[in-house]
Amino acid sequence: MIEVIRLDGEIYWVNPHMIESMEQTPDLTITMLSGKKIILKNSPEEIIEKIITYRRQLGIDKQEVL
């Protein structure tokens, strides 16, 4: 799970594997695979960095070529 901040300042945790898309208009809106939309204070770059860090912690940033 990654920590995100909603517009009201509330901290929220989301599973980054369930994020379908992100759109900045001007606030960042993430759309989950379920169709639920969450509007965030975070920047897209910050969310991307959090996802990369999360994936590294899981060890899935390295893909083996067979």
Side-chain angles (χ1 to χ4, degrees):
M1 303 289 264
I2 62 169
E3 181 181 295
V4 297
I5 303 171
R6 296 173 119 175
L7 281 183
D8 63 4
E10 186 176 336
I11 294 174
Y12 196 74
W13 295 86
V14 297
N15 181 340
H17 298 289
M18 301 304 290
I19 296 173
E20 182 176 356
S21 63
M22 296 190 302
E23 182 178 7
Q24 191 168 18
T25 61
D27 299 315
L28 180 62
T29 301
I30 59 172
T31 303
M32 307 304 285
L33 290 175
S34 67
K36 180 177 181 175
K37 294 182 184 281
I38 305 168
I39 301 173
L40 305 175
K41 282 187 174 181
N42 305 81
S43 69
E45 296 80 14
E46 185 180 357
I47 297 299
I48 290 167
E49 186 57 41
K50 286 177 182 260
I51 292 170
I52 290 168
T53 300
Y54 175 79
R55 291 176 63 90
R56 283 187 179 140
Q57 289 174 347
L58 294 178
I60 57 178
D61 63 325
K62 299 177 180 125
Q63 303 269 335
E64 289 187 32
V65 178
L66 300 177

